[in-house]
Amino acid sequence: MALIKRENVTPPVRRSEAVPVKALGGDVLVRRLGLVELNDTRGDDGGVAFVARLLAVAVCDADNLPLFDAEQWSIWGRDHEKDFQSLSEAVLRLNGGDAENAKNG
């Protein structure tokens, strides 16, 4: 096999999708995390704490900036449980096998 050159390789592109969140009044951008981001987000606890941390790094506004930190997502989720669940499902779907980590916490 021949050695490759960087200019001949297509760089990876982060996957993302717009997700409507009625309680926020519009769509948010849910992005797929890189391996380092995902590893940094994981903790010893799972469940809602993990999901709140995941939302904090994966849910962005129109300028691709994080919408809330984990504590703010936790508070927002108390007032908007249905939307929190729906948004969590989108983030977990886009970020692969982390649904099991969230369920087992």
Side-chain angles (χ1 to χ4, degrees), residues 8-105:
N8 296 333
V9 177
T10 304
V13 177
R14 184 185 303 270
R15 292 187 339 209
S16 62
E17 65 181 61
V19 176
V21 182
K22 191 173 186 176
L24 291 173
D27 294 354
V28 295
L29 182 66
V30 173
R31 62 191 192 102
R32 187 166 193 217
L33 303 180
L35 292 174
V36 173
E37 290 172 303
L38 188 57
N39 186 62
D40 290 347
T41 303
R42 289 189 174 116
D44 293 335
D45 53 351
V48 175
F50 167 70
V51 173
R53 288 192 305 272
L54 191 57
L55 292 174
V57 294
V59 177
C60 300
D61 69 3
D63 294 323
N64 207 27
L65 298 172
L67 193 61
F68 296 141
D69 64 26
E71 177 65 17
Q72 290 169 321
W73 277 118
S74 177
I75 294 167
W76 184 85
R78 288 297 308 263
D79 294 330
H80 307 282
E81 289 183 30
K82 195 172 191 180
D83 285 321
F84 182 87
Q85 180 66 32
S86 178
L87 187 55
S88 299
E89 289 170 3
V91 169
L92 292 168
R93 181 183 67 252
L94 194 58
N95 283 285
D98 292 298
E100 282 307 310
N101 189 13
K103 289 178 190 173
N104 294 330

